[in-house]
Amino acid sequence: MTIAATDGAARTGELTTARGVIRTPAFMPVGTAGTVKGMYPEQVRGLGADIILGNTYHLMLRPGAERVAGLGGLHVFSNWPHPILTDSGGFQVMSLSGLRKLDEEGVTFQSHLDGSSHRLTPERSLEIQGLLDSDIRMQLDECVRLPAPRQEVERAMRMSLRWAERSKAAFGATRERALFGIVQGGDQPDLRIASAEALAAIGFHGYAIGGLAVGEPQDVMLAMLDTTVPALPLDHPRYLMGVGQPDDIVEAVRRGVDMFDCVLPTRAGRHGVAYTRFGRINMKNARHADDRRPIDETMDWVPARDYSRAYLHHLIKSGELLGAMLLTWNNLAYYQHLMAGVRAAIAAGRFDDFVAETKDGWARGDLPPA
């Protein structure tokens, strides 16, 4: 990773892969099953996304990693020739609760699709990610929802470290691809530091911070970042997994995080919520029913500028697909707009001012009713 500028702990730079350069800090739209829901790949790219995320768990179940490989790999299969990061499948498997059984070697689970039995180990996860041919791959880890007893958090953290070593061995000497380790340790500062230091000793191309945004309040998450980030190698990318509220993103950037992913902007769009410089706007609200104004005429993307609030309200209330598509488009555009602003502010040495101005806009809220 090349760091071009810093402003406090915040930094901007580039992460170079065989399929393209990722500008950091970066937000990665989530393409769970080989598609960013409601969007054409060309649209996602046009909004400024350098990289998207694919989900190992979902793709291994349908259509199957071997099938994707036979069809040319995930980039060809999904018509996205740019970088892709695949998660390990671990978070989805761990969330299955009663449908899985964990042991030292890995986890056996039942598919949520048809109840069929599957086995995921560190080695199999890396094999699947290799079949998908992703550019950045993740170690298999165990994620514990918070709050949780310290004993359980430490057990999962130690297991994840053993799996990290096996993941590194399974990755081997693969050229032009990257493997990230994942820091665990819940809300325990000493466990977070121990995990970060052990992963750095194993040696990865990048380091993810997992097990946050899983039930803990924001102040706990930020405290864990304050503890964890300084323990990670300075010249390697840092990826905060699954965190996607705009306020969480800018505060994590302030602490030195480089990469983010979350289903939030696409999921919110499907449920009638728009992310804007005014904060979150619920387009289901009756106040929009007769409002001819757009969401935000100052923005240069179509859904915010060219469609009336009344029309978007109608589409969402009617359950029309176009409503979900337009709001998803708007939300991903806003997230990429936010990240571009973050990068420019760091480069200009005015990150704190940018964050203050951005938060002031969110706090003022939406336009008054028409």
Side-chain angles (χ1 to χ4, degrees):
M1 177 175 176
T2 302
I3 300 172
T6 61
D7 188 353
R11 67 231 202 121
T12 184
E14 293 183 343
L15 177 59
T16 301
T17 76
R19 290 189 173 96
V21 172
I22 303 160
R23 296 164 294 175
T24 62
F27 179 81
M28 301 180 284
V30 175
T32 301
T35 171
V36 177
K37 287 182 172 62
M39 297 287 290
Y40 296 113
E42 297 83 359
Q43 281 180 299
V44 177
R45 181 65 171 178
L47 298 178
D50 296 328
I51 178 172
I52 62 173
L53 182 144
N55 187 276
T56 290
Y57 168 82
H58 288 281
L59 291 167
M60 72 180 282
L61 295 180
R62 185 171 57 193
E66 285 77 10
R67 175 169 288 161
V68 173
L71 293 168
L74 188 55
H75 298 81
V76 173
F77 186 57
S78 63
N79 195 32
W80 178 266
H82 317 292
I84 294 177
L85 180 148
T86 46
D87 62 15
S88 69
F91 180 81
Q92 284 72 29
V93 170
M94 299 311 163
S95 68
L96 293 175
S97 184
L99 298 177
R100 51 94 172 173
K101 181 178 179 181
L102 180 73
D103 57 50
E104 179 66 32
E105 290 304 306
V107 59
T108 302
F109 64 94
Q110 289 178 266
S111 165
H112 73 287
L113 297 174
D114 58 12
S116 57
S117 181
H118 299 266
R119 180 75 168 160
L120 194 63
T121 65
E123 293 79 11
R124 176 57 177 160
S125 175
L126 265 296
E127 180 186 15
I128 292 168
Q129 293 179 75
L131 290 166
L132 298 175
D133 194 25
S134 56
D135 302 278
I136 301 175
R137 303 167 192 179
M138 306 301 299
Q139 71 148 108
L140 184 65
D141 65 326
E142 182 183 356
C143 179
V144 175
R145 290 196 177 276
L146 299 176
R150 178 185 170 87
Q151 182 179 5
E152 176 66 7
V153 171
E154 182 168 10
R155 182 203 60 75
M157 184 272 281
R158 300 293 177 189
M159 174 83 82
S160 295
L161 286 178
R162 294 191 293 274
W163 286 359
E165 292 178 335
R166 290 167 55 189
S167 296
K168 176 73 178 294
F171 182 79
T174 305
R175 291 180 175 271
E176 299 185 337
R177 303 292 181 266
L179 177 66
F180 282 25
I182 304 177
V183 177
Q184 289 292 348
D187 54 2
Q188 304 296 314
D190 61 318
L191 298 183
R192 286 280 175 183
I193 292 172
S195 177
E197 291 177 345
L199 289 171
I202 294 171
F204 290 89
H205 300 102
Y207 297 88
I209 303 166
L212 293 175
V214 290
E216 82 286 357
Q218 187 195 51
D219 61 334
V220 172
M221 180 189 76
L222 297 181
M224 291 305 99
L225 293 179
D226 287 333
T227 296
T228 304
V229 172
L232 295 172
L234 186 64
D235 56 348
H236 288 59
R238 302 147 175 176
Y239 163 30
L240 181 55
M241 303 181 74
V243 171
Q245 288 286 1
D247 186 61
D248 291 341
I249 289 175
V250 296
E251 288 301 331
V253 169
R254 191 195 299 278
R255 289 159 172 81
V257 175
D258 306 302
M259 300 169 67
F260 304 86
D261 82 281
C262 192
V263 299
L264 194 60
T266 49
R267 180 176 291 167
R270 296 195 303 275
H271 288 84
V273 173
Y275 278 89
T276 75
R277 64 189 176 98
F278 312 120
R280 286 166 51 101
I281 302 176
N282 185 355
M283 298 309 300
K284 293 180 181 178
N285 195 306
R287 73 187 290 255
H288 304 294
D290 295 304
D291 196 335
R292 298 185 182 188
R293 298 173 299 179
I295 292 176
D296 186 352
E297 62 185 6
T298 70
M299 296 294 102
D300 63 358
W301 51 88
V302 168
R305 184 192 63 207
D306 295 350
Y307 290 86
S308 73
R309 291 169 177 241
Y311 183 57
L312 293 169
H313 170 79
H314 159 70
L315 292 175
I316 294 299
K317 294 294 286 185
S318 302
E320 289 290 340
L321 290 176
L322 181 59
M325 292 167 63
L326 287 171
L327 291 184
T328 297
W329 182 358
N330 171 82
N331 292 350
L332 289 177
Y334 176 72
Y335 270 61
Q336 295 302 333
H337 173 77
L338 177 66
M339 301 315 294
V342 163
R343 293 191 293 266
I346 296 170
R350 59 177 309 272
F351 179 69
D352 286 343
D353 290 339
F354 172 82
V355 173
E357 293 160 5
T358 301
K359 289 191 176 188
D360 182 61
W362 296 336
R364 285 200 306 270
D366 194 13
L367 301 174

